[in-house]
Amino acid sequence: MKSAIVVFPGTNRERDMAIALKRVTGKAPTMVWHRDTQLPDADLIVLPGGFSYGDYLRCGAMAAHSPIMAEIRAFAQKGGHILGVCNGFQILTETGMLPGALLRNANLRFLSQDCTLRVERDDTPYTHKWKKGDVFRTPLAHGDGNYTADAETLARLEGEGRVAFRYASPDGKVQNDDFATNPNGSVNSIAGILSENARICGMMPHPEDLVDPLMGGEDGLPLFEGLVEAIVR
Amino acid sequence: MKKTVDEALAREFGLTSEEYARVLSIMGRTPSLTELGVFSVMWSEHCSYKSSRKWLRTLPTKAPWVIHGPGENAGVVDVGEGYAAIFKMESHNHPSFIEPYQGAATGVGGILRDVFTMGARPVANLNALRFGSPETPRTRQIIDGVVRGIGGYGNCVGVPTVGGEINFHPAYDGNPLVNAMTVGIARKDRIFLSAAAGIGNPVVYVGSRTGRDGIHGATMSSAEFDENALAKRPTVQVGDPFIEKLLIEACLELMATDAIVAIQDMGAAGLTSSSVEMAGKGGVGIELDLDAVPQREPGMTAYEMMLSESQERMLMVLKPERTEVARAIFEKWELDFAIIGHLTETGHIVVKHKGQVEADIPLDPLAEQAPIYDRPASAPVVPPALENVHAPLSLDAMLLKLVGSPDLASRAWVWNQYDSTVGGQTVRRPGAADAAIVKIEDTTLGLALTTDCTPRYCQADPRTGGAQAVAEAWRNITATGARPLAVTDNLNFGNPEKPEIMGQFVAAIEGMGEACRVLDFPVVSGNVSLYNETRQPDGTTMAILPTPAIGALGVLDDVSKAVGLSMVDNADIVLIGETKGELGQSIWLREILGREEGAPPRVDLSVEKRNGDFVRNEIQTGTVKACHDVADGGILVAVAEMVMASRIGCELESPTSGIRPEAFWFGEDQARYIVCVPNAADFCARAEQSGVPARLLGRSGGRDLILPSGVTISTARLVTTNEAFFPSLMAN
C-alpha cells in the first residue's frame, strides 16, 4: 500500500500518522503540501489531525478550500481510499465528502483522554480486522468532536450502516447521555463514519497514537493493518 | 502623547534616580523617548537580573554532558546518540493574574520560542502552577483561564503537555504563579546561538506583525501589584498559536539550510532586547530601519515598535547570499519576512524611523553599566521542630481526607484538557509515573521530565526548601529509572528590596546550589520572577511563598526500561529509606490539624544520592516493577496513589518501629521510595549490602487497600474521593 499524508498550515499530527503507516507498510508515506495541485501515486490519502488555519473559522472550513482538495475530490470519485482523523474528519465534513458536522464538545472544554470505541461494521477496509461489536481503546484529543447531523441524514447513515465506530463503555454499552462513555456528546455516540462506498472514513479519535506497546498499547493497529490487507495492488 | 524625557518620566518607566543619572552619563545628553524606553526595559529586573545576578553566579552550571549552560536562550545537554535536549522554564505570573487565558497562553508561546530558536523541535511542555485558596472566588476564574490558556496554546502548536504540578495557598491569592517549561530535541552539532556576526549582514524580522500590545510588559512584571493591577490589561500580550506553529516549522526548515548566522526570539522587551542582546553578544553594532518592520496598525512610533511585546516574532542575522532562500521558506509558510537592518562596526544600536535617528546608544555601556545590586538580606529564622502532635481521627479517615485535599487531589480534570499524546512519543502520560517519559523518535532514548517545589517548606526554611526542591526533582526522575542530567530553575519570590525577601532568595539559592553540587545536577537555564507581592487595601503587602520551582530532565538509554507508579499485582511492596516520622510542615499537619508549623523535613543529600542510585540501578536491572517516591502526604498517601493508578489493592503490615502511627504513615521524611518487587527478601538483602534501609511494607493484590488494623478502603472509594475536588470546585 502506498500512502500519502496531506499537510495544511496548522496540521500537527502528521508525524504520528506517518509512524503508524510506516509501521504497517514498512515505508514512509509521502507528505503532500496543501498548496500542491497534484497527488502522488498513492492508494490511501490521509488527512491528519491538527488545527488547520488555527481553527479560527469553523474547524476545517479553510482547509476545505485548499488547492489540493480538488485533487482529493477527484481521487474520491475514482474510488480512492481516504482516511480523515480529527481535524481531517472535520475537513471531510466541511467539503461535504462526508455528511454531518462536528460541534464544540458538549462540556465546552478541550478533551484529551482515552476512550473506548465499539466497532459497528466488520466488512470495510477500515474495520475488517475487528469483529462487529468488538471494543478497543484509543486516545482522543479535540475541542470540537461532538458529531451531529440532521434527522434525515442521521436516519440514512444508520439505515445504510455507515457508522464505523461508536463511543462505548469498555464492556461495549453505548450510553449517549453519559460523558464517561460518550465524552464529547456526539449524537448516537458516533465516533466515526463511512462514505457510501465505505472507501472514505472520518473519525475523531486517534488510533495512530496507539500502535506501539511502548506508548501504552497497539489497540489502534488493526485499523492500519486492515487497510494494508484490503488495499492490494 | 509627546512626552518630555526627564527624571520623572524615567521613574515612571521603572528606573531609579540613580539609574537615570547613569543613563545621562552614558549618553552625555538627555536621551530621546525611545532611548529612555530601551534603557528602562534593558535595565528592568526582568531583563537585567540586577537583584539576583550576584547569587545566580553561585549555582553550579557545568558537567561533562552540559553543552550550553545559562546565558543562551535555553540550556543544552547531551543525551546521547548525537542528540541534545534543549530546555528552559519561564514565568508568566503577572500577566496570568491580569488576564489568565492570554497570560498563560503567551507564557507557553514564549518558552517554546526560547527552545526552537536554538534549533530544537519542541517535544514536550510542562508547567508548575500555584493558585490562591480554593475558597477565594477569583481562584476559580484564574484556574479556568490558565488551564484553558495552556491547553489552547500547547494543543494547537502540537506539542504534548506531559507533566506539571499544582499547589494551592492563600499566599497566591493576589499573585498566582504560572511557570511554563519546554523541552526540545536537536542534533547536537546543529545548535543555533544568538551572537550576531558579520559586519553588513542583514538583520531579518520574521513572524507576526508588530502591534501596540505588551508595551512595557517587562517593566510591569518588575513591580508589585497594587489595587489597580487589573487596569494593566493592555500590557498583556495576545498569543496566536497558529502563527507560532507556522513559525516553528518555517524556522526548522530554514535551520536545515546554512543560511542562519544567529537567531533569537523577540520575547520580553521585544525588538529591543533581541537586537541589543544579539549585537552585544557578538560584539558588533546594529542599525535598524523601523519603516521596514511589518506593522499591524498604522502610525506606530519608534518608541512603541521598540517596546512592543507582540508575540510570535523572531530576529535573525542571515548570510546575505542566502536571504532569498530564507524568504522563500517564510513565504511558503505565509509569514512576514522583512530585512529591517544590518550589522555595523559602530558598536552602537542605531534606530531609524521616517528618516530620523530615534535612538543611538553605545551597546557596551548599556550592558556593562547595567545596574547590579547586592541587596541587604536578613537570614531567615527557621522555626523550631514541631512538638508532639496527636491524630484526632482514625487512619482511614485521615487518608481519605488527605487524598481529597486540594494539594493531593487528582489533577485529571486539568490534564484531560491538555493534549498529552500528540507527536506519538509519549511513553508515560501525566500521572502515570513520577516523571513524564517522552521517547526520542527513531532512537531507544527516553527523556524523563518533571517540575517540583514544595513552597511551604521554602517558607519555613528557604535553604532546606531550595535543596528539597532539587532533591525531589532528582528523586522523581530516578523513580522512573532515568539518569538525572540537569535542571532549569524558575525562582519566584517577593520584593527583593525587602531584606527578609532577599534573605529567602539567598538561602534558597544556597540550598539549591548545594543539592545540585552533591547530586551532580547542574543548572543550565532559568528565570527569576521577583516582586510577586500584592498591595492590600490596608496598605500592607502580601508576598507569595518563596517558590524556587525546579524543572528537571533525565535520560533513559533504553526507554523500555522505564517504570511507572501503578501498583503491579501480587508483588511485595518495599519501603526504601529511613523513616523518623517528620510531621513539621507536612500536608497532614495542615489538612488534619489546620496548622502550618515546625521545621520542614531534613534533607540529607548524601543519603538522597545513595538511596536514589540504588533504586535506579535496581530499576535498570529489571527487579523493580513499579516505583513511586514518598513526598507530600507520606507513605500512606504514596501507597494510595499507587493503588489508585492501577486499581490494584494491597495489604499493609504494621510498622514495628517505635514511631507513632500518624508519624510513620504521614511523615514526609525525604529520600524515600516505595517499590513493587517480586521478592522482598532478596531485594532487601541487596539494599542492605548497599547500606540502604529497606523494609517490607505489605503485599499487592485484590481490590482494596487494607490497613494494618484490618480496616479496608475500597479502591473505588479512594478514586472517587481523589477525583472529586477539581470537578466540584470548577462546576460551581
mmCIF file of all heavy atoms in Angstrom, chain B residues 440-464:
data_model
loop_
_atom_site.group_PDB
_atom_site.id
_atom_site.type_symbol
_atom_site.label_atom_id
_atom_site.label_comp_id
_atom_site.label_asym_id
_atom_site.label_seq_id
_atom_site.Cartn_x
_atom_site.Cartn_y
_atom_site.Cartn_z
ATOM 1 N N ILE B 440 12.635 9.747 22.285
ATOM 2 C CA ILE B 440 13.200 10.492 21.168
ATOM 3 C C ILE B 440 13.017 9.627 19.924
ATOM 4 O O ILE B 440 13.525 8.502 19.860
ATOM 5 C CB ILE B 440 14.692 10.822 21.396
ATOM 6 C CG1 ILE B 440 14.837 11.675 22.668
ATOM 7 C CG2 ILE B 440 15.281 11.543 20.182
ATOM 8 C CD1 ILE B 440 16.265 12.053 22.996
ATOM 9 N N GLU B 441 12.264 10.165 18.974
ATOM 10 C CA GLU B 441 11.867 9.399 17.791
ATOM 11 C C GLU B 441 13.094 8.796 17.095
ATOM 12 O O GLU B 441 14.148 9.433 17.005
ATOM 13 C CB GLU B 441 11.129 10.339 16.822
ATOM 14 C CG GLU B 441 10.231 9.625 15.853
ATOM 15 C CD GLU B 441 9.439 10.606 14.986
ATOM 16 O OE1 GLU B 441 9.174 11.734 15.436
ATOM 17 O OE2 GLU B 441 9.106 10.216 13.853
ATOM 18 N N ASP B 442 12.930 7.583 16.603
ATOM 19 C CA ASP B 442 13.981 6.866 15.876
ATOM 20 C C ASP B 442 15.185 6.480 16.729
ATOM 21 O O ASP B 442 16.252 6.173 16.197
ATOM 22 C CB ASP B 442 14.477 7.672 14.658
ATOM 23 C CG ASP B 442 13.352 7.940 13.676
ATOM 24 O OD1 ASP B 442 12.467 7.066 13.541
ATOM 25 O OD2 ASP B 442 13.347 9.017 13.056
ATOM 26 N N THR B 443 15.054 6.538 18.060
ATOM 27 C CA THR B 443 16.122 6.072 18.946
ATOM 28 C C THR B 443 15.475 5.228 20.038
ATOM 29 O O THR B 443 14.255 5.111 20.105
ATOM 30 C CB THR B 443 16.844 7.243 19.655
ATOM 31 O OG1 THR B 443 15.963 7.794 20.640
ATOM 32 C CG2 THR B 443 17.253 8.334 18.680
ATOM 33 N N THR B 444 16.309 4.666 20.921
ATOM 34 C CA THR B 444 15.762 3.976 22.098
ATOM 35 C C THR B 444 15.771 4.904 23.309
ATOM 36 O O THR B 444 15.442 4.484 24.413
ATOM 37 C CB THR B 444 16.606 2.732 22.434
ATOM 38 O OG1 THR B 444 17.950 3.165 22.704
ATOM 39 C CG2 THR B 444 16.612 1.737 21.288
ATOM 40 N N LEU B 445 16.195 6.151 23.105
ATOM 41 C CA LEU B 445 16.335 7.082 24.228
ATOM 42 C C LEU B 445 14.988 7.591 24.706
ATOM 43 O O LEU B 445 14.065 7.820 23.919
ATOM 44 C CB LEU B 445 17.176 8.293 23.804
ATOM 45 C CG LEU B 445 18.602 8.031 23.359
ATOM 46 C CD1 LEU B 445 19.207 9.317 22.786
ATOM 47 C CD2 LEU B 445 19.438 7.529 24.530
ATOM 48 N N GLY B 446 14.901 7.788 26.019
ATOM 49 C CA GLY B 446 13.710 8.413 26.585
ATOM 50 C C GLY B 446 14.120 9.550 27.503
ATOM 51 O O GLY B 446 15.129 9.460 28.205
ATOM 52 N N LEU B 447 13.355 10.635 27.461
ATOM 53 C CA LEU B 447 13.599 11.747 28.372
ATOM 54 C C LEU B 447 12.625 11.632 29.538
ATOM 55 O O LEU B 447 11.436 11.378 29.333
ATOM 56 C CB LEU B 447 13.361 13.089 27.668
ATOM 57 C CG LEU B 447 14.231 13.379 26.447
ATOM 58 C CD1 LEU B 447 13.838 14.724 25.847
ATOM 59 C CD2 LEU B 447 15.707 13.369 26.835
ATOM 60 N N ALA B 448 13.122 11.809 30.745
ATOM 61 C CA ALA B 448 12.266 11.848 31.938
ATOM 62 C C ALA B 448 12.190 13.298 32.392
ATOM 63 O O ALA B 448 13.222 13.956 32.546
ATOM 64 C CB ALA B 448 12.861 10.969 33.035
ATOM 65 N N LEU B 449 10.968 13.793 32.588
ATOM 66 C CA LEU B 449 10.767 15.226 32.796
ATOM 67 C C LEU B 449 9.843 15.483 33.982
ATOM 68 O O LEU B 449 8.809 14.828 34.125
ATOM 69 C CB LEU B 449 10.139 15.834 31.535
ATOM 70 C CG LEU B 449 10.871 15.498 30.227
ATOM 71 C CD1 LEU B 449 10.012 15.872 29.027
ATOM 72 C CD2 LEU B 449 12.201 16.214 30.178
ATOM 73 N N THR B 450 10.209 16.453 34.797
ATOM 74 C CA THR B 450 9.374 16.752 35.958
ATOM 75 C C THR B 450 9.535 18.213 36.366
ATOM 76 O O THR B 450 10.521 18.859 35.991
ATOM 77 C CB THR B 450 9.756 15.837 37.145
ATOM 78 O OG1 THR B 450 8.907 16.115 38.260
ATOM 79 C CG2 THR B 450 11.188 16.056 37.576
ATOM 80 N N THR B 451 8.549 18.733 37.100
ATOM 81 C CA THR B 451 8.696 20.032 37.764
ATOM 82 C C THR B 451 8.360 19.851 39.238
ATOM 83 O O THR B 451 7.408 19.141 39.569
ATOM 84 C CB THR B 451 7.756 21.106 37.176
ATOM 85 O OG1 THR B 451 6.399 20.665 37.303
ATOM 86 C CG2 THR B 451 8.054 21.376 35.717
ATOM 87 N N ASP B 452 9.129 20.471 40.105
ATOM 88 C CA ASP B 452 8.928 20.267 41.538
ATOM 89 C C ASP B 452 9.309 21.473 42.373
ATOM 90 O O ASP B 452 10.294 22.158 42.076
ATOM 91 C CB ASP B 452 9.790 19.084 42.026
ATOM 92 C CG ASP B 452 9.283 17.773 41.485
ATOM 93 O OD1 ASP B 452 8.242 17.328 41.940
ATOM 94 O OD2 ASP B 452 9.928 17.220 40.570
ATOM 95 N N CYS B 453 8.544 21.664 43.438
ATOM 96 C CA CYS B 453 8.888 22.610 44.503
ATOM 97 C C CYS B 453 7.860 22.411 45.615
ATOM 98 O O CYS B 453 6.703 22.098 45.347
ATOM 99 C CB CYS B 453 8.838 24.048 44.004
ATOM 100 S SG CYS B 453 9.309 25.243 45.268
ATOM 101 N N THR B 454 8.291 22.551 46.844
ATOM 102 C CA THR B 454 7.358 22.468 47.971
ATOM 103 C C THR B 454 7.411 23.806 48.707
ATOM 104 O O THR B 454 8.202 23.987 49.628
ATOM 105 C CB THR B 454 7.740 21.300 48.912
ATOM 106 O OG1 THR B 454 7.989 20.132 48.115
ATOM 107 C CG2 THR B 454 6.616 21.021 49.902
ATOM 108 N N PRO B 455 6.587 24.777 48.266
ATOM 109 C CA PRO B 455 6.714 26.140 48.786
ATOM 110 C C PRO B 455 6.538 26.244 50.307
ATOM 111 O O PRO B 455 7.170 27.097 50.930
ATOM 112 C CB PRO B 455 5.591 26.897 48.057
ATOM 113 C CG PRO B 455 5.343 26.101 46.813
ATOM 114 C CD PRO B 455 5.581 24.673 47.202
ATOM 115 N N ARG B 456 5.714 25.378 50.904
ATOM 116 C CA ARG B 456 5.537 25.513 52.365
ATOM 117 C C ARG B 456 6.831 25.172 53.097
ATOM 118 O O ARG B 456 7.103 25.736 54.154
ATOM 119 C CB ARG B 456 4.357 24.664 52.852
ATOM 120 C CG ARG B 456 4.496 23.186 52.623
ATOM 121 C CD ARG B 456 3.271 22.385 53.086
ATOM 122 N NE ARG B 456 3.591 20.964 53.091
ATOM 123 C CZ ARG B 456 3.603 20.186 51.997
ATOM 124 N NH1 ARG B 456 3.283 20.702 50.820
ATOM 125 N NH2 ARG B 456 3.932 18.915 52.082
ATOM 126 N N TYR B 457 7.639 24.279 52.549
ATOM 127 C CA TYR B 457 8.956 24.021 53.142
ATOM 128 C C TYR B 457 9.849 25.259 52.963
ATOM 129 O O TYR B 457 10.599 25.629 53.856
ATOM 130 C CB TYR B 457 9.675 22.858 52.453
ATOM 131 C CG TYR B 457 9.062 21.474 52.580
ATOM 132 C CD1 TYR B 457 9.594 20.423 51.828
ATOM 133 C CD2 TYR B 457 7.991 21.205 53.442
ATOM 134 C CE1 TYR B 457 9.072 19.128 51.918
ATOM 135 C CE2 TYR B 457 7.463 19.919 53.524
ATOM 136 C CZ TYR B 457 8.003 18.887 52.758
ATOM 137 O OH TYR B 457 7.492 17.617 52.830
ATOM 138 N N CYS B 458 9.781 25.864 51.775
ATOM 139 C CA CYS B 458 10.638 27.021 51.481
ATOM 140 C C CYS B 458 10.294 28.205 52.377
ATOM 141 O O CYS B 458 11.163 28.983 52.755
ATOM 142 C CB CYS B 458 10.511 27.432 50.015
ATOM 143 S SG CYS B 458 11.012 26.144 48.877
ATOM 144 N N GLN B 459 9.009 28.349 52.695
ATOM 145 C CA GLN B 459 8.580 29.440 53.562
ATOM 146 C C GLN B 459 9.169 29.255 54.960
ATOM 147 O O GLN B 459 9.679 30.193 55.561
ATOM 148 C CB GLN B 459 7.043 29.470 53.630
ATOM 149 C CG GLN B 459 6.456 30.457 54.621
ATOM 150 C CD GLN B 459 6.529 31.889 54.115
ATOM 151 O OE1 GLN B 459 6.761 32.126 52.933
ATOM 152 N NE2 GLN B 459 6.343 32.844 55.010
ATOM 153 N N ALA B 460 9.124 28.018 55.466
ATOM 154 C CA ALA B 460 9.605 27.763 56.822
ATOM 155 C C ALA B 460 11.124 27.818 56.886
ATOM 156 O O ALA B 460 11.696 28.332 57.845
ATOM 157 C CB ALA B 460 9.110 26.405 57.303
ATOM 158 N N ASP B 461 11.775 27.299 55.845
ATOM 159 C CA ASP B 461 13.241 27.214 55.854
ATOM 160 C C ASP B 461 13.714 27.217 54.401
ATOM 161 O O ASP B 461 13.834 26.163 53.778
ATOM 162 C CB ASP B 461 13.660 25.921 56.579
ATOM 163 C CG ASP B 461 15.171 25.747 56.623
ATOM 164 O OD1 ASP B 461 15.890 26.526 55.958
ATOM 165 O OD2 ASP B 461 15.637 24.822 57.316
ATOM 166 N N PRO B 462 13.969 28.414 53.875
ATOM 167 C CA PRO B 462 14.262 28.513 52.438
ATOM 168 C C PRO B 462 15.464 27.685 51.996
ATOM 169 O O PRO B 462 15.469 27.144 50.895
ATOM 170 C CB PRO B 462 14.542 30.011 52.241
ATOM 171 C CG PRO B 462 13.889 30.689 53.389
ATOM 172 C CD PRO B 462 13.930 29.730 54.536
ATOM 173 N N ARG B 463 16.444 27.546 52.863
ATOM 174 C CA ARG B 463 17.632 26.795 52.465
ATOM 175 C C ARG B 463 17.290 25.313 52.286
ATOM 176 O O ARG B 463 17.593 24.708 51.257
ATOM 177 C CB ARG B 463 18.727 26.978 53.524
ATOM 178 C CG ARG B 463 20.041 26.443 53.057
ATOM 179 C CD ARG B 463 21.109 26.459 54.143
ATOM 180 N NE ARG B 463 22.150 25.548 53.721
ATOM 181 C CZ ARG B 463 23.252 25.919 53.083
ATOM 182 N NH1 ARG B 463 23.460 27.187 52.846
ATOM 183 N NH2 ARG B 463 24.128 25.021 52.668
ATOM 184 N N THR B 464 16.621 24.760 53.287
ATOM 185 C CA THR B 464 16.205 23.358 53.189
ATOM 186 C C THR B 464 15.203 23.186 52.041
ATOM 187 O O THR B 464 15.262 22.211 51.287
ATOM 188 C CB THR B 464 15.556 22.900 54.518
ATOM 189 O OG1 THR B 464 16.538 23.028 55.545
ATOM 190 C CG2 THR B 464 15.079 21.463 54.442
#
